Amino acid sequence: MRLEDEIQQKEFKDDYSKAIVNILFTQSYIVTKQNNFLKPYGLSPEQYNVLRILRGQNGNPITVSSIQDRMLNKMSNASRLVEKLKQKGLVLREECPADRRQVDIMITEKGLQLLNQLQEEILNQNNNLIQLNQQEVSQLNFLLDKLRG
Amino acid sequence: MRLEDEIQQKEFKDDYSKAIVNILFTQSYIVTKQNNFLKPYGLSPEQYNVLRILRGQNGNPITVSSIQDRMLNKMSNASRLVEKLKQKGLVLREECPADRRQVDIMITEKGLQLLNQLQEEILNQNNNLIQLNQQEVSQLNFLLDKLRG
DNA sequence: TTGTATTAAATGTATATACATACAAATGTA
DNA sequence: TACATTTGTATGTATATACATTTAATACAA
């Protein structure tokens, strides 16, 4: 559906201005659906993202600042998100022996099981969320990667 | 720059999963720049968006719920954003005579002047933010509009 | 080695999102 | 008309973002 109709705006100054708003609006569309999906599991989209980063470590610990670097939102707050996940028993946090300023974070077995439980449904949902064919979605990824310079 | 490099992820399950993350990451990229731009003017991106909606009314009042409908984030809170803008003298809020539950919102002269002051720079920034040529940005808008179904 | 600078993480505060609830005004129906 | 329902807005609470500050540990230079 045309963005102009969805937000009841007659027209944009130019395609660049429309693209800005289009990306923000589409992000909200996606996060809303993700949020609805994850809520029954007690996870926010951001917490889910941190869990995926930890799973990607394949059992190796990772520091809080490395998590921060890999997060989708660079201005987020990995320290507090990790604390939330720890309270749910999904991650472990322990002082790094080599550098006592750092804190090693690892996903727990419970965290891994939760991700595995979600995995199949998430893949399906991702496909349903994006009403594009394979060639179009590949083109979209190309354009977004290029957009950021 | 490739998303995989920016968030240090080896690969995605498929292009659909990458597209989800790509949109979220690109939104954060844009909002961060918008935020940096708007901060000197004391506006958040969301407050700026509400002001633009009000300007689009060409002097006609609009209710809080109509603002909500047109906002980029449907789950936002127009009532509180309007209150912030009112405190800054950028909008007026008055009871709607036809229906006393409703509240008519209008942009003030000060609000209009602020938007005009920003306009030129915003257009330039939008172009710089998106490192795509005219044909590519048009294609991006087409894909995002289609994506949401 | 001592003092300074840097780094990692945590914490404090303001704003915004997500959602539930409250309350008053309007609407619809018996 | 009386009463239940719906609607528009405001408000309360939890989570997250944006950013400044704090604290402890480490690195480095005089």
PDB file of all heavy atoms in Angstrom, chain C residues 14-25:
ATOM      1  P    DA C  14      15.172  14.442  34.458  1.00  0.00           P
ATOM      2  OP1  DA C  14      15.227  15.815  34.972  1.00  0.00           O
ATOM      3  OP2  DA C  14      14.259  13.442  35.048  1.00  0.00           O
ATOM      4  O5'  DA C  14      14.869  14.538  32.897  1.00  0.00           O
ATOM      5  C5'  DA C  14      15.809  15.152  32.031  1.00  0.00           C
ATOM      6  C4'  DA C  14      15.483  14.791  30.596  1.00  0.00           C
ATOM      7  O4'  DA C  14      15.915  13.434  30.339  1.00  0.00           O
ATOM      8  C3'  DA C  14      13.984  14.846  30.272  1.00  0.00           C
ATOM      9  O3'  DA C  14      13.790  15.545  29.043  1.00  0.00           O
ATOM     10  C2'  DA C  14      13.567  13.381  30.172  1.00  0.00           C
ATOM     11  C1'  DA C  14      14.863  12.712  29.732  1.00  0.00           C
ATOM     12  N9   DA C  14      14.969  11.321  30.176  1.00  0.00           N
ATOM     13  C8   DA C  14      14.740  10.811  31.419  1.00  0.00           C
ATOM     14  N7   DA C  14      14.905   9.511  31.510  1.00  0.00           N
ATOM     15  C5   DA C  14      15.282   9.142  30.228  1.00  0.00           C
ATOM     16  C6   DA C  14      15.615   7.900  29.656  1.00  0.00           C
ATOM     17  N6   DA C  14      15.604   6.745  30.341  1.00  0.00           N
ATOM     18  N1   DA C  14      15.949   7.887  28.358  1.00  0.00           N
ATOM     19  C2   DA C  14      15.947   9.038  27.672  1.00  0.00           C
ATOM     20  N3   DA C  14      15.657  10.268  28.098  1.00  0.00           N
ATOM     21  C4   DA C  14      15.333  10.249  29.396  1.00  0.00           C
ATOM     22  P    DT C  15      12.313  15.760  28.469  1.00  0.00           P
ATOM     23  OP1  DT C  15      12.333  17.040  27.755  1.00  0.00           O
ATOM     24  OP2  DT C  15      11.323  15.485  29.530  1.00  0.00           O
ATOM     25  O5'  DT C  15      12.171  14.610  27.379  1.00  0.00           O
ATOM     26  C5'  DT C  15      13.027  14.621  26.240  1.00  0.00           C
ATOM     27  C4'  DT C  15      12.789  13.371  25.435  1.00  0.00           C
ATOM     28  O4'  DT C  15      13.101  12.223  26.252  1.00  0.00           O
ATOM     29  C3'  DT C  15      11.336  13.184  24.976  1.00  0.00           C
ATOM     30  O3'  DT C  15      11.334  13.104  23.568  1.00  0.00           O
ATOM     31  C2'  DT C  15      10.887  11.887  25.634  1.00  0.00           C
ATOM     32  C1'  DT C  15      12.206  11.196  25.933  1.00  0.00           C
ATOM     33  N1   DT C  15      12.174  10.256  27.075  1.00  0.00           N
ATOM     34  C2   DT C  15      12.541   8.952  26.858  1.00  0.00           C
ATOM     35  O2   DT C  15      12.874   8.534  25.761  1.00  0.00           O
ATOM     36  N3   DT C  15      12.490   8.144  27.965  1.00  0.00           N
ATOM     37  C4   DT C  15      12.122   8.507  29.247  1.00  0.00           C
ATOM     38  O4   DT C  15      12.115   7.686  30.135  1.00  0.00           O
ATOM     39  C5   DT C  15      11.760   9.894  29.408  1.00  0.00           C
ATOM     40  C7   DT C  15      11.351  10.396  30.756  1.00  0.00           C
ATOM     41  C6   DT C  15      11.801  10.697  28.334  1.00  0.00           C
ATOM     42  P    DA C  16       9.934  13.021  22.767  1.00  0.00           P
ATOM     43  OP1  DA C  16      10.171  13.649  21.466  1.00  0.00           O
ATOM     44  OP2  DA C  16       8.851  13.497  23.651  1.00  0.00           O
ATOM     45  O5'  DA C  16       9.728  11.463  22.545  1.00  0.00           O
ATOM     46  C5'  DA C  16      10.690  10.740  21.802  1.00  0.00           C
ATOM     47  C4'  DA C  16      10.358   9.267  21.830  1.00  0.00           C
ATOM     48  O4'  DA C  16      10.588   8.755  23.159  1.00  0.00           O
ATOM     49  C3'  DA C  16       8.910   8.932  21.486  1.00  0.00           C
ATOM     50  O3'  DA C  16       8.932   8.001  20.407  1.00  0.00           O
ATOM     51  C2'  DA C  16       8.339   8.323  22.759  1.00  0.00           C
ATOM     52  C1'  DA C  16       9.593   7.806  23.444  1.00  0.00           C
ATOM     53  N9   DA C  16       9.482   7.695  24.896  1.00  0.00           N
ATOM     54  C8   DA C  16       9.239   8.703  25.782  1.00  0.00           C
ATOM     55  N7   DA C  16       9.201   8.293  27.040  1.00  0.00           N
ATOM     56  C5   DA C  16       9.435   6.933  26.952  1.00  0.00           C
ATOM     57  C6   DA C  16       9.521   5.921  27.925  1.00  0.00           C
ATOM     58  N6   DA C  16       9.363   6.151  29.231  1.00  0.00           N
ATOM     59  N1   DA C  16       9.771   4.666  27.504  1.00  0.00           N
ATOM     60  C2   DA C  16       9.923   4.449  26.187  1.00  0.00           C
ATOM     61  N3   DA C  16       9.865   5.311  25.183  1.00  0.00           N
ATOM     62  C4   DA C  16       9.619   6.548  25.637  1.00  0.00           C
ATOM     63  P    DT C  17       7.597   7.439  19.785  1.00  0.00           P
ATOM     64  OP1  DT C  17       7.855   7.319  18.339  1.00  0.00           O
ATOM     65  OP2  DT C  17       6.444   8.179  20.294  1.00  0.00           O
ATOM     66  O5'  DT C  17       7.550   5.965  20.388  1.00  0.00           O
ATOM     67  C5'  DT C  17       8.561   5.041  20.000  1.00  0.00           C
ATOM     68  C4'  DT C  17       8.320   3.724  20.704  1.00  0.00           C
ATOM     69  O4'  DT C  17       8.263   3.931  22.131  1.00  0.00           O
ATOM     70  C3'  DT C  17       7.026   3.004  20.327  1.00  0.00           C
ATOM     71  O3'  DT C  17       7.345   1.625  20.289  1.00  0.00           O
ATOM     72  C2'  DT C  17       6.106   3.354  21.496  1.00  0.00           C
ATOM     73  C1'  DT C  17       7.102   3.308  22.638  1.00  0.00           C
ATOM     74  N1   DT C  17       6.775   4.008  23.888  1.00  0.00           N
ATOM     75  C2   DT C  17       6.866   3.299  25.053  1.00  0.00           C
ATOM     76  O2   DT C  17       7.158   2.115  25.078  1.00  0.00           O
ATOM     77  N3   DT C  17       6.587   4.020  26.194  1.00  0.00           N
ATOM     78  C4   DT C  17       6.269   5.346  26.285  1.00  0.00           C
ATOM     79  O4   DT C  17       6.048   5.874  27.365  1.00  0.00           O
ATOM     80  C5   DT C  17       6.195   6.057  25.021  1.00  0.00           C
ATOM     81  C7   DT C  17       5.849   7.487  25.013  1.00  0.00           C
ATOM     82  C6   DT C  17       6.452   5.356  23.902  1.00  0.00           C
ATOM     83  P    DA C  18       6.336   0.578  19.587  1.00  0.00           P
ATOM     84  OP1  DA C  18       7.144  -0.511  19.004  1.00  0.00           O
ATOM     85  OP2  DA C  18       5.400   1.340  18.752  1.00  0.00           O
ATOM     86  O5'  DA C  18       5.530  -0.002  20.822  1.00  0.00           O
ATOM     87  C5'  DA C  18       6.181  -0.936  21.658  1.00  0.00           C
ATOM     88  C4'  DA C  18       5.206  -1.412  22.707  1.00  0.00           C
ATOM     89  O4'  DA C  18       5.074  -0.397  23.722  1.00  0.00           O
ATOM     90  C3'  DA C  18       3.786  -1.681  22.188  1.00  0.00           C
ATOM     91  O3'  DA C  18       3.433  -2.973  22.636  1.00  0.00           O
ATOM     92  C2'  DA C  18       2.938  -0.579  22.815  1.00  0.00           C
ATOM     93  C1'  DA C  18       3.710  -0.301  24.092  1.00  0.00           C
ATOM     94  N9   DA C  18       3.550   1.037  24.669  1.00  0.00           N
ATOM     95  C8   DA C  18       3.412   2.229  24.010  1.00  0.00           C
ATOM     96  N7   DA C  18       3.317   3.274  24.809  1.00  0.00           N
ATOM     97  C5   DA C  18       3.405   2.723  26.076  1.00  0.00           C
ATOM     98  C6   DA C  18       3.369   3.298  27.359  1.00  0.00           C
ATOM     99  N6   DA C  18       3.234   4.606  27.579  1.00  0.00           N
ATOM    100  N1   DA C  18       3.472   2.461  28.417  1.00  0.00           N
ATOM    101  C2   DA C  18       3.608   1.147  28.189  1.00  0.00           C
ATOM    102  N3   DA C  18       3.651   0.490  27.032  1.00  0.00           N
ATOM    103  C4   DA C  18       3.548   1.347  26.002  1.00  0.00           C
ATOM    104  P    DC C  19       2.094  -3.642  22.140  1.00  0.00           P
ATOM    105  OP1  DC C  19       2.332  -5.091  22.073  1.00  0.00           O
ATOM    106  OP2  DC C  19       1.587  -2.919  20.980  1.00  0.00           O
ATOM    107  O5'  DC C  19       1.123  -3.389  23.373  1.00  0.00           O
ATOM    108  C5'  DC C  19       1.537  -3.819  24.659  1.00  0.00           C
ATOM    109  C4'  DC C  19       0.707  -3.170  25.721  1.00  0.00           C
ATOM    110  O4'  DC C  19       1.035  -1.785  25.864  1.00  0.00           O
ATOM    111  C3'  DC C  19      -0.810  -3.200  25.454  1.00  0.00           C
ATOM    112  O3'  DC C  19      -1.425  -3.754  26.576  1.00  0.00           O
ATOM    113  C2'  DC C  19      -1.176  -1.731  25.336  1.00  0.00           C
ATOM    114  C1'  DC C  19      -0.135  -1.152  26.293  1.00  0.00           C
ATOM    115  N1   DC C  19      -0.022   0.318  26.228  1.00  0.00           N
ATOM    116  C2   DC C  19       0.131   1.013  27.430  1.00  0.00           C
ATOM    117  O2   DC C  19       0.217   0.378  28.482  1.00  0.00           O
ATOM    118  N3   DC C  19       0.185   2.373  27.408  1.00  0.00           N
ATOM    119  C4   DC C  19       0.097   3.019  26.242  1.00  0.00           C
ATOM    120  N4   DC C  19       0.158   4.340  26.282  1.00  0.00           N
ATOM    121  C5   DC C  19      -0.048   2.315  25.008  1.00  0.00           C
ATOM    122  C6   DC C  19      -0.108   0.981  25.040  1.00  0.00           C
ATOM    123  P    DA C  20      -2.870  -4.412  26.542  1.00  0.00           P
ATOM    124  OP1  DA C  20      -2.663  -5.859  26.372  1.00  0.00           O
ATOM    125  OP2  DA C  20      -3.748  -3.670  25.614  1.00  0.00           O
ATOM    126  O5'  DA C  20      -3.357  -4.142  28.026  1.00  0.00           O
ATOM    127  C5'  DA C  20      -2.403  -4.137  29.093  1.00  0.00           C
ATOM    128  C4'  DA C  20      -2.897  -3.223  30.194  1.00  0.00           C
ATOM    129  O4'  DA C  20      -2.517  -1.854  29.895  1.00  0.00           O
ATOM    130  C3'  DA C  20      -4.418  -3.229  30.376  1.00  0.00           C
ATOM    131  O3'  DA C  20      -4.705  -3.411  31.755  1.00  0.00           O
ATOM    132  C2'  DA C  20      -4.867  -1.872  29.855  1.00  0.00           C
ATOM    133  C1'  DA C  20      -3.630  -1.005  30.066  1.00  0.00           C
ATOM    134  N9   DA C  20      -3.484   0.078  29.081  1.00  0.00           N
ATOM    135  C8   DA C  20      -3.488  -0.033  27.714  1.00  0.00           C
ATOM    136  N7   DA C  20      -3.336   1.120  27.092  1.00  0.00           N
ATOM    137  C5   DA C  20      -3.222   2.032  28.118  1.00  0.00           C
ATOM    138  C6   DA C  20      -3.039   3.432  28.124  1.00  0.00           C
ATOM    139  N6   DA C  20      -2.937   4.184  27.015  1.00  0.00           N
ATOM    140  N1   DA C  20      -2.956   4.050  29.332  1.00  0.00           N
ATOM    141  C2   DA C  20      -3.056   3.304  30.439  1.00  0.00           C
ATOM    142  N3   DA C  20      -3.231   1.989  30.564  1.00  0.00           N
ATOM    143  C4   DA C  20      -3.301   1.407  29.353  1.00  0.00           C
ATOM    144  P    DT C  21      -6.190  -3.581  32.249  1.00  0.00           P
ATOM    145  OP1  DT C  21      -6.152  -4.505  33.402  1.00  0.00           O
ATOM    146  OP2  DT C  21      -7.042  -3.838  31.078  1.00  0.00           O
ATOM    147  O5'  DT C  21      -6.537  -2.136  32.810  1.00  0.00           O
ATOM    148  C5'  DT C  21      -5.583  -1.460  33.617  1.00  0.00           C
ATOM    149  C4'  DT C  21      -6.024  -0.035  33.820  1.00  0.00           C
ATOM    150  O4'  DT C  21      -5.716   0.753  32.646  1.00  0.00           O
ATOM    151  C3'  DT C  21      -7.529   0.130  34.063  1.00  0.00           C
ATOM    152  O3'  DT C  21      -7.682   0.874  35.265  1.00  0.00           O
ATOM    153  C2'  DT C  21      -8.007   0.900  32.840  1.00  0.00           C
ATOM    154  C1'  DT C  21      -6.758   1.675  32.455  1.00  0.00           C
ATOM    155  N1   DT C  21      -6.680   2.142  31.054  1.00  0.00           N
ATOM    156  C2   DT C  21      -6.394   3.467  30.820  1.00  0.00           C
ATOM    157  O2   DT C  21      -6.211   4.271  31.709  1.00  0.00           O
ATOM    158  N3   DT C  21      -6.331   3.819  29.499  1.00  0.00           N
ATOM    159  C4   DT C  21      -6.518   3.000  28.401  1.00  0.00           C
ATOM    160  O4   DT C  21      -6.441   3.441  27.264  1.00  0.00           O
ATOM    161  C5   DT C  21      -6.821   1.617  28.708  1.00  0.00           C
ATOM    162  C7   DT C  21      -7.042   0.648  27.596  1.00  0.00           C
ATOM    163  C6   DT C  21      -6.880   1.264  30.009  1.00  0.00           C
ATOM    164  P    DA C  22      -9.111   1.124  35.899  1.00  0.00           P
ATOM    165  OP1  DA C  22      -9.016   0.854  37.347  1.00  0.00           O
ATOM    166  OP2  DA C  22     -10.153   0.458  35.075  1.00  0.00           O
ATOM    167  O5'  DA C  22      -9.231   2.698  35.700  1.00  0.00           O
ATOM    168  C5'  DA C  22      -8.127   3.531  36.047  1.00  0.00           C
ATOM    169  C4'  DA C  22      -8.508   4.970  35.774  1.00  0.00           C
ATOM    170  O4'  DA C  22      -8.339   5.249  34.359  1.00  0.00           O
ATOM    171  C3'  DA C  22      -9.962   5.305  36.107  1.00  0.00           C
ATOM    172  O3'  DA C  22      -9.989   6.599  36.691  1.00  0.00           O
ATOM    173  C2'  DA C  22     -10.658   5.271  34.746  1.00  0.00           C
ATOM    174  C1'  DA C  22      -9.548   5.740  33.813  1.00  0.00           C
ATOM    175  N9   DA C  22      -9.613   5.227  32.444  1.00  0.00           N
ATOM    176  C8   DA C  22      -9.808   3.934  32.037  1.00  0.00           C
ATOM    177  N7   DA C  22      -9.779   3.776  30.730  1.00  0.00           N
ATOM    178  C5   DA C  22      -9.559   5.045  30.248  1.00  0.00           C
ATOM    179  C6   DA C  22      -9.426   5.548  28.938  1.00  0.00           C
ATOM    180  N6   DA C  22      -9.509   4.809  27.843  1.00  0.00           N
ATOM    181  N1   DA C  22      -9.206   6.885  28.805  1.00  0.00           N
ATOM    182  C2   DA C  22      -9.126   7.639  29.910  1.00  0.00           C
ATOM    183  N3   DA C  22      -9.233   7.281  31.193  1.00  0.00           N
ATOM    184  C4   DA C  22      -9.442   5.953  31.286  1.00  0.00           C
ATOM    185  P    DC C  23     -11.277   7.107  37.464  1.00  0.00           P
ATOM    186  OP1  DC C  23     -10.810   7.815  38.674  1.00  0.00           O
ATOM    187  OP2  DC C  23     -12.249   6.002  37.540  1.00  0.00           O
ATOM    188  O5'  DC C  23     -11.850   8.194  36.456  1.00  0.00           O
ATOM    189  C5'  DC C  23     -10.978   9.190  35.922  1.00  0.00           C
ATOM    190  C4'  DC C  23     -11.698   9.939  34.824  1.00  0.00           C
ATOM    191  O4'  DC C  23     -11.539   9.232  33.574  1.00  0.00           O
ATOM    192  C3'  DC C  23     -13.212  10.052  35.068  1.00  0.00           C
ATOM    193  O3'  DC C  23     -13.597  11.385  34.811  1.00  0.00           O
ATOM    194  C2'  DC C  23     -13.803   9.100  34.048  1.00  0.00           C
ATOM    195  C1'  DC C  23     -12.791   9.220  32.918  1.00  0.00           C
ATOM    196  N1   DC C  23     -12.768   8.097  31.942  1.00  0.00           N
ATOM    197  C2   DC C  23     -12.489   8.385  30.608  1.00  0.00           C
ATOM    198  O2   DC C  23     -12.257   9.551  30.279  1.00  0.00           O
ATOM    199  N3   DC C  23     -12.485   7.366  29.714  1.00  0.00           N
ATOM    200  C4   DC C  23     -12.732   6.119  30.107  1.00  0.00           C
ATOM    201  N4   DC C  23     -12.713   5.154  29.178  1.00  0.00           N
ATOM    202  C5   DC C  23     -13.022   5.812  31.459  1.00  0.00           C
ATOM    203  C6   DC C  23     -13.037   6.816  32.341  1.00  0.00           C
ATOM    204  P    DA C  24     -14.973  11.977  35.417  1.00  0.00           P
ATOM    205  OP1  DA C  24     -14.664  12.683  36.669  1.00  0.00           O
ATOM    206  OP2  DA C  24     -15.966  10.883  35.387  1.00  0.00           O
ATOM    207  O5'  DA C  24     -15.382  13.051  34.320  1.00  0.00           O
ATOM    208  C5'  DA C  24     -14.375  13.724  33.564  1.00  0.00           C
ATOM    209  C4'  DA C  24     -14.824  13.817  32.128  1.00  0.00           C
ATOM    210  O4'  DA C  24     -14.642  12.536  31.482  1.00  0.00           O
ATOM    211  C3'  DA C  24     -16.300  14.179  31.972  1.00  0.00           C
ATOM    212  O3'  DA C  24     -16.395  15.273  31.069  1.00  0.00           O
ATOM    213  C2'  DA C  24     -16.942  12.919  31.420  1.00  0.00           C
ATOM    214  C1'  DA C  24     -15.778  12.253  30.694  1.00  0.00           C
ATOM    215  N9   DA C  24     -15.868  10.804  30.599  1.00  0.00           N
ATOM    216  C8   DA C  24     -16.101   9.899  31.600  1.00  0.00           C
ATOM    217  N7   DA C  24     -16.106   8.650  31.196  1.00  0.00           N
ATOM    218  C5   DA C  24     -15.860   8.741  29.839  1.00  0.00           C
ATOM    219  C6   DA C  24     -15.735   7.765  28.844  1.00  0.00           C
ATOM    220  N6   DA C  24     -15.869   6.450  29.063  1.00  0.00           N
ATOM    221  N1   DA C  24     -15.484   8.189  27.588  1.00  0.00           N
ATOM    222  C2   DA C  24     -15.359   9.490  27.363  1.00  0.00           C
ATOM    223  N3   DA C  24     -15.444  10.503  28.218  1.00  0.00           N
ATOM    224  C4   DA C  24     -15.701  10.050  29.459  1.00  0.00           C
ATOM    225  P    DA C  25     -17.781  16.010  30.766  1.00  0.00           P
ATOM    226  OP1  DA C  25     -17.525  17.463  30.703  1.00  0.00           O
ATOM    227  OP2  DA C  25     -18.821  15.450  31.656  1.00  0.00           O
ATOM    228  O5'  DA C  25     -18.094  15.511  29.291  1.00  0.00           O
ATOM    229  C5'  DA C  25     -17.140  15.769  28.264  1.00  0.00           C
ATOM    230  C4'  DA C  25     -17.578  15.053  27.008  1.00  0.00           C
ATOM    231  O4'  DA C  25     -17.492  13.618  27.224  1.00  0.00           O
ATOM    232  C3'  DA C  25     -19.017  15.361  26.602  1.00  0.00           C
ATOM    233  O3'  DA C  25     -19.011  15.669  25.219  1.00  0.00           O
ATOM    234  C2'  DA C  25     -19.769  14.060  26.896  1.00  0.00           C
ATOM    235  C1'  DA C  25     -18.673  13.010  26.752  1.00  0.00           C
ATOM    236  N9   DA C  25     -18.848  11.791  27.540  1.00  0.00           N
ATOM    237  C8   DA C  25     -19.098  11.687  28.878  1.00  0.00           C
ATOM    238  N7   DA C  25     -19.177  10.453  29.321  1.00  0.00           N
ATOM    239  C5   DA C  25     -18.961   9.696  28.190  1.00  0.00           C
ATOM    240  C6   DA C  25     -18.916   8.297  27.982  1.00  0.00           C
ATOM    241  N6   DA C  25     -19.088   7.401  28.961  1.00  0.00           N
ATOM    242  N1   DA C  25     -18.661   7.862  26.728  1.00  0.00           N
ATOM    243  C2   DA C  25     -18.480   8.773  25.763  1.00  0.00           C
ATOM    244  N3   DA C  25     -18.506  10.101  25.836  1.00  0.00           N
ATOM    245  C4   DA C  25     -18.749  10.499  27.082  1.00  0.00           C
TER     246       DA C  25
END
